[in-house]
Amino acid sequence: MKINRYILFVFAGLLFTSSCNKYLDQSPDMRTQIDDVDKVAQLVGSAYPSYNYLAMAESYSDNIHDKGVGIGSIDEPYVSYYNWVDVAGDDNNTPTQYWNGVYEGISAANHALEAIRTNNFGPEVNPYKGEALIARAYGHFMLAIFFAQPYNIGGDNSTAGIPYVSEPEKEALPMYTRGTVKETYDKIRQDLEEGLALLAGGQWKVPKYHFTPAAAYAFAARFYLFIGEYDKAIQAANQIFPNGDFSGKLRPITTTIQAYSLAQQLIEYTKADKEYNLLLRETYSVYQRDAPFQRYGYSQTLYNEMFATPVFEGTTLYSRGISYNSGQDYTVYMYNEYFYLTNAQAGIGFPYIMQPLFTSDEALINRAEAYVQKGDFVKGLIDINQFISVRVRNYNSSVHNLTVDKALRSYGISDPKKALLEAILRIKRAAFMSEGIRWMDIIRHDLTVKHIDLDAKDTETIRELKPEDLRRVFQIPVEGKLAGIEQNPR
């Protein structure tokens, strides 16, 4: 299972900085040295995934298109993802790498919690205990999204979950059981809610790299949306900023960012001093350098579909179209790659990108959905229109704002709730392009994914990944099988 694959390095307790300090910069095993609150805080700083899910989530979703024969690279794992084929190996951007990276973070959280249990640190340690619990909950939540069946709101959740690891490993080859989806989500809730109650008073050198209260409540809003507890999702989102006010705290897509040079834009999205970034993490990844140039990727066709076509009547969202190769290869141009040199003379090292795990933009649109799910269309529309106000060029509320009638007309749907949910899903798909959010909505709303294949004459063949298709759940890595974890059916 490789949960402790890099255990000697995890205990260094990373504090991420713009200079990209890495595991290899740190002193080795600190298991016998976690004897004060500062060391606990440092250890909890490494309780986050060291890899990301971007290639997995984007390539499985409908945010990817076949650009045509001879256009772009045909590299793995992108080809297998596009064809919904299980990906073997643990190379960069693979499910196995993400699985291992998440469990490494969970391992660090568990060792921090064990140190807290065995030492009398007093109340000063509570915020870092809270952070460890929430980081552990987040790791298991993300694994459940990819490696287990979706949570069935109000229905049966007895299918296999994922191993919930809540104690440090004491054996060389421990065995694990998966439990059920319900048991997995119950444990996530327990850790999340216990952790939220402990966070007050925490001091972090770079707060945006940690589960501060704001980031934790953004996670809570996402979690409660997944399990259909809409009142709690709203309450959580309201805790992120004073009085639940997101004004001036969203990504300024059509103002500040639009005016930036490409070099400035590349850095802007992931800066730690921006209020819209609630949680940032440094992840080892070649996603930014590889994904835009794949045959199966973000294409001109998709760009036009999302940003040259109205998302609803009279309103088209804006995104700066960064393209290469005669407009065939597109990118959102938001992940600035940092290269950590291990041998400066030879130019050898590791590529890293800073990934926004939670943003105020997602939290606001999640609150909007929660309102709509509850039937409070007035408040839902206020949030939707605040969201689009920073994503429509020359925004004019009287022209561009969404109304119930506009949603009904735009989609030919007679049910106001369904029409507004359709608007939210379309808005989110465009707004969070290349961030993995679309896949979360696909599994949460049981959406069918369509992939188009082009032959040498550009003739289209459409394939579908329906809600009941077993391939929608990523396969448990082979290492998990060795640890006694049953694999997902195929």
Side-chain angles (χ1 to χ4, degrees):
M1 191 167 178
K2 292 190 178 180
I3 289 178
N4 279 348
R5 186 179 178 195
Y6 300 117
I7 201 68
L8 293 181
F9 299 122
V10 163
F11 298 98
L14 303 182
L15 287 176
F16 289 90
T17 68
S18 60
S19 61
C20 298
N21 290 333
K22 296 289 169 289
Y23 290 127
L24 299 179
D25 286 332
Q26 315 299 322
S27 59
D29 198 342
M30 286 177 59
R31 279 170 288 186
T32 60
Q33 303 173 36
I34 309 172
D35 52 11
D36 61 39
V37 173
D38 183 61
K39 290 177 182 177
V40 171
Q42 291 184 48
L43 178 54
V44 175
S46 60
Y48 298 81
S50 50
Y51 305 103
N52 65 61
Y53 49 79
L54 298 174
M56 298 165 55
E58 289 296 299
S59 299
Y60 249 57
S61 79
D62 49 11
N63 281 353
I64 296 300
H65 192 268
D66 184 356
K67 300 171 188 175
V69 176
I71 300 175
S73 302
I74 47 173
D75 299 330
E76 291 292 349
Y78 301 97
V79 175
S80 291
Y81 285 147
Y82 191 75
N83 290 291
W84 304 311
V85 173
D86 293 340
V87 175
D90 60 355
D91 291 337
N92 199 239
N93 293 320
T94 60
T96 297
Q97 186 191 62
Y98 185 65
W99 169 279
N100 289 336
V102 173
Y103 274 120
E104 288 157 18
I106 291 169
S107 178
N110 284 334
H111 279 276
L113 291 167
E114 181 183 53
I116 292 169
R117 286 193 300 268
T118 56
N119 291 275
N120 184 22
F121 292 132
E124 184 185 359
V125 83
N126 283 347
Y128 313 109
K129 178 181 179 181
E131 182 185 359
L133 288 167
I134 294 169
R136 185 169 74 182
Y138 170 76
H140 287 102
F141 175 70
M142 294 306 297
L143 288 174
I145 285 176
F146 291 105
F147 297 99
Q149 288 287 343
Y151 187 90
N152 185 5
I153 296 173
D156 177 52
N157 287 295
S158 61
T159 55
I162 51 100
Y164 207 96
V165 182
S166 55
E167 296 290 338
E169 292 179 349
K170 304 295 186 182
E171 305 171 27
L173 292 172
M175 303 299 284
Y176 295 91
T177 58
R178 295 181 63 170
T180 65
V181 167
K182 182 182 185 304
E183 290 169 341
T184 298
Y185 276 77
D186 284 347
K187 291 175 180 177
I188 293 168
R189 178 203 291 272
Q190 181 178 340
D191 276 352
L192 172 61
E193 293 180 348
E194 182 181 351
L196 280 168
L198 296 171
L199 284 177
Q203 299 292 321
W204 295 276
K205 292 182 179 179
V206 186
K208 295 300 179 67
Y209 298 165
H210 299 268
F211 268 120
T212 62
Y217 279 114
F219 169 32
R222 182 192 289 178
F223 172 76
Y224 289 127
L225 205 60
F226 261 80
I227 63 175
E229 296 191 12
Y230 303 119
D231 282 324
K232 288 191 174 182
I234 293 166
Q235 291 165 10
N238 286 342
Q239 295 297 315
I240 296 171
F241 298 114
N243 302 315
D245 185 4
F246 285 74
S247 300
K249 298 176 175 64
L250 303 175
R251 289 171 172 168
I253 302 296
T254 54
T255 53
T256 306
I257 293 178
Q258 179 183 339
Y260 277 154
S261 68
L262 288 181
Q264 289 173 313
Q265 174 179 308
L266 191 60
I267 297 172
E268 181 73 10
Y269 277 106
T270 56
K271 290 178 71 173
D273 63 349
K274 300 303 176 184
E275 288 190 280
Y276 51 78
N277 286 326
L278 302 177
L279 180 62
L280 297 165
R281 291 308 296 186
E282 183 185 54
T283 59
Y284 171 59
S285 177
V286 293
Y287 181 74
Q288 177 62 53
R289 68 166 72 170
D290 282 357
F293 305 103
Q294 300 301 315
R295 170 177 172 175
Y296 306 108
Y298 182 21
S299 65
Q300 185 177 37
T301 299
L302 279 173
Y303 176 82
N304 291 339
E305 179 182 336
M306 287 188 276
F307 301 111
T309 304
V311 69
F312 54 81
E313 181 184 293
T315 299
T316 301
L317 301 187
Y318 169 77
S319 177
R320 195 175 198 171
I322 312 302
S323 63
Y324 309 93
N325 299 333
S326 301
Q328 295 296 331
D329 300 324
Y330 269 75
T331 175
V332 294
Y333 215 62
M334 67 175 292
Y335 299 114
N336 189 27
E337 182 180 298
Y338 301 89
F339 196 76
Y340 174 73
L341 287 170
T342 55
N343 186 322
Q345 185 173 4
I348 297 172
F350 301 100
Y352 287 80
I353 63 173
M354 195 67 74
Q355 181 190 6
L357 297 181
F358 290 98
T359 64
S360 60
D361 297 65
E362 187 205 347
L364 177 63
I365 202 70
N366 283 347
R367 188 174 72 179
E369 181 179 337
Y371 279 131
V372 170
Q373 293 281 12
K374 282 171 47 64
D376 192 339
F377 301 154
V378 172
K379 289 183 179 177
L381 282 166
I382 289 172
D383 282 352
I384 292 170
N385 290 324
Q386 183 176 5
F387 186 93
I388 67 170
S389 70
V390 296
R391 293 177 179 270
V392 176
R393 298 179 77 175
N394 302 313
Y395 170 76
N396 183 327
S397 61
S398 63
V399 174
H400 299 117
N401 274 7
L402 181 65
T403 65
V404 172
D405 287 342
K406 214 182 258 191
L408 295 172
R409 291 195 304 268
S410 296
Y411 311 125
I413 298 174
S414 59
D415 184 310
K417 179 177 176 179
K418 290 181 179 178
L420 290 177
L421 289 175
E422 178 67 19
I424 288 171
L425 289 172
R426 293 191 183 206
I427 290 167
K428 287 181 71 177
R429 183 187 176 200
F432 298 106
M433 182 70 190
S434 295
E435 296 185 63
I437 302 295
R438 176 62 173 175
W439 181 250
M440 299 180 201
D441 285 342
I442 285 169
I443 64 169
R444 199 162 53 82
H445 286 274
D446 289 336
L447 304 179
T448 295
V449 181
K450 294 182 180 180
H451 279 181
I452 297 173
D453 296 317
L454 300 176
D455 64 16
K457 296 181 179 180
D458 286 341
T459 302
E460 295 184 355
T461 301
I462 299 176
R463 293 180 289 114
E464 294 186 341
L465 188 71
K466 297 181 179 294
E468 65 275 11
D469 197 311
L470 295 176
R471 294 174 298 172
R472 287 165 73 100
V473 181
F474 287 77
Q475 187 56 274
I476 301 293
V478 67
E479 291 92 337
K481 187 176 182 180
L482 298 176
I485 303 170
E486 64 179 292
Q487 295 210 304
N488 288 317
R490 284 292 184 262

